C-alpha cells in the first residue's frame, strides 16, 4: 500500500460534504484526488474547496482515469451497488454509505465483488463508532452482561421527514424511515447483542404523515406529491438462539420528541443508552454502573479513520459484511411482513 492513500468520492451531496470529505481531510497521508456527482457542476463546486481534486459527472470515467486506493460511495441508495462494484473492480477499497443497498440481492452482489477483488467493503454504520456504543460493546464482550436474550432498538423522530434529496421515493431509496434510520438502530443493537443469527421477523410499516400537507413541518414540507415510502416501521425479530429484538423507527409521529435508544438485557446484566447505564446485581444489591470520563468522539470521523486504518493493515474492519447482510435481510423481511401480514422466516 502506498504511503499516501488516494481517495475518490462518488456523490457529493449532504453526507459527502458534511462528513466524508472533512473526515478524509483530517487524516495524514490521505489525499482526495477525485470527486464525482451526476448533477453537472456539483462536484466541481465542491472541488473548489478540495485542493488538487478533479471533478467528474460519470463515476465510470472517474474510476477509469484515476488510480484510486479508496472510494466513498455517498450517492442515494439506488446507485450504491453499481458504484461500489465498479470501484471494487478497479482495485479500490470502498466505504459505502448505509444501507448497503436497496435490498439483499444487491447487497450480496457487492459483498461478492469485494471478495473477488480481495478489497475491503465497509458500510457506513457509524453508530457503532459512538463512544458509548464502543464502551458497552467492550463490557458485553467481557461477559459482563452474561447471555443476551432481549433487545430494543429505537430511532424515532417527532418530525423529521427529509426535505432534501430523494429519501421519500422508493425507486431511489428502496424504502423510507425504516431503511433510512431504522438501519442504524437495528445494526447497533444487533452488534451489541453479538450479532445472533435472525430466524423470523414479524413487522409492519405505516405512512400516516408523508402524504399529508396538514401536519406540522417546522423545517419545511417534504415533497408530498412524490412521497411513496413508509414513515414508520416496527418489528419483532426472533433469533436462532431464542433471543428477541423489538425495533421501532419513524420519521414522524405524535410523540414527546426524538427518541433514540438501545436497550439490551442479559442473564447477568442489562444496559440502556443514552446516557449509558449498566444494570447489575452485586453482592445482593441492584447497582447501576455509569461509565464516567468517556471521551466523546465524532462517530463519522472515527468511522473514516477506521476505514483508512484497515486499508493500511492496522486492524480488522469491525463492520463485517456478513453482519451487514443480516441487517439488510431483516429490513427486507420487515417490508415483506408489512405487505403480507405474515411472519417471514429467514434462512440465508
Ligand atoms: N450515515 C449517516 O449518518 C448518513 C446520513 C445521511 C445520509 N446517509 C446516506 O448517504 C447517502 C447519500 O445521502 P445524502 O444525504 O448525502 O444525499 P444527497 O441527496 O444530499 O446527496 C447524494 C448525491 O449523490 C448524487 N448522485 C446520485 N446518483 C449519482 C451517481 N450515479 N453518480 C454520482 N453521483 C450521484 C446526487 O446528485 C447527490 O448530489 C444515502 O445512501 C444515505 O442513506 C448516511
Amino acid at each position: 500500500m502506498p504511503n499516501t492513500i488516494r481517495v475518490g468520492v462518488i456523490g457529493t451531496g449532504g453526507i459527502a460534504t458534511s462528513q466524508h470529505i472533512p473526515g478524509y481531510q483530517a487524516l495524514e497521508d490521505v489525499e482526495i484526488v477525485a470527486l464525482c456527482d451526476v448533477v453537472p457542476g456539483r462536484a466541481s463546486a465542491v472541488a473548489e474547496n478540495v485542493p488538487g481534486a478533479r471533478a467528474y459527472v460519470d463515476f465510470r470515467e472517474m474510476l477509469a482515469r484515476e488510480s484510486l486506493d479508496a472510494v466513498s460511495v455517498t450517492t442515494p441508495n439506488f446507485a450504491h451497488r453499481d458504484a461500489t462494484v465498479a470501484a471494487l473492480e478497479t482495485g479500490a477499497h470502498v466505504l459505502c454509505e448505509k444501507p448497503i443497498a436497496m435490498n439483499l440481492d444487491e447487497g450480496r452482489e457487492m459483498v461478492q465483488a469485494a471478495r473477488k477483488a480481495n478489497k475491503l467493503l465497509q458500510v457506513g454504520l457509524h453508530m457503532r463508532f459512538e463512544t458509548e456504543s464502543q464502551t458497552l460493546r467492550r463490557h458485553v464482550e467481557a461477559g459482563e452482561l452474561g447471555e443476551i436474550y432481549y433487545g430494543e432498538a429505537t430511532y424515532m423522530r417527532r418530525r423529521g421527514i427529509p426535505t432534501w434529496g430523494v429519501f421519500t421515493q422508493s425507486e431511489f431509496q428502496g424504502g423510507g424511515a425504516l431503511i433510512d434510520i431504522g438501519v442504524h438502530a437495528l445494526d447497533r443493537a444487533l452488534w451489541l447483542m453479538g450479532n445472533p443469527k435472525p430466524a423470523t421477523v414479524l413487522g409492519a410499516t405505516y405512512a400516516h404523515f408523508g402524504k399529508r400537507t396538514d401536519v406540522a413541518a417546522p423545517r419545511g414540507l417534504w415533497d408530498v406529491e412524490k412521497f411513496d415510502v413508509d414513515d414508520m416501521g416496527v418489528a419483532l425479530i426472533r433469533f436462532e438462539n431464542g433471543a428477541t429484538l423489538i425495533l421501532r423507527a419513524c420519521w414522524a409521529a405524535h410523540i414527546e420528541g426524538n427518541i433514540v435508544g438501545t436497550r439490551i438485557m442479559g442473564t447477568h446484566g442489562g444496559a440502556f443508552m443514552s446516557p449509558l447505564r449498566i444494570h447489575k446485581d452485586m453482592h445482593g444489591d441492584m447497582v447501576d454502573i455509569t461509565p464516567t470520563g468517556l471521551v466523546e468522539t465524532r462517530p463519522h470521523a472515527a468511522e473514516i479513520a477506521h476505514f483508512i486504518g484497515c486499508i493500511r493493515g492496522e486492524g480488522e474492519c469491525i463492520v463485517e459484511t456478513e453482519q451487514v447482510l443480516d441487517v439488510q435481510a431483516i429490513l427486507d423481511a420487515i417490508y415483506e411482513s408489512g405487505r403480507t401480514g405474515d411472519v417471514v422466516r429467514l434462512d440465508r
Side-chain angles (χ1 to χ4, degrees), residues 10-16 36-39 42 57 59 73-80 97-99 124-126 164-167 173 180 184 300 303:
I10 303 176
T12 58
I15 197 69
C36 171
D37 200 289
V38 75
V39 173
R42 195 170 278 179
V57 288
F59 68 77
V73 174
T74 46
T75 63
N77 304 346
F78 76 95
H80 285 186
E97 262 305 338
K98 49 46 68 169
L125 292 157
H126 71 269
W164 75 98
V166 291
F167 285 88
Q173 289 290 102
D180 180 41
H184 280 305
H300 292 94
E303 159 191 276

Side-chain angles (χ1 to χ4, degrees), residues 6 40 72 117 155 186 213:
R6 295 161 51 84
S72 265
Y155 198 146
L186 174 62
T213 53

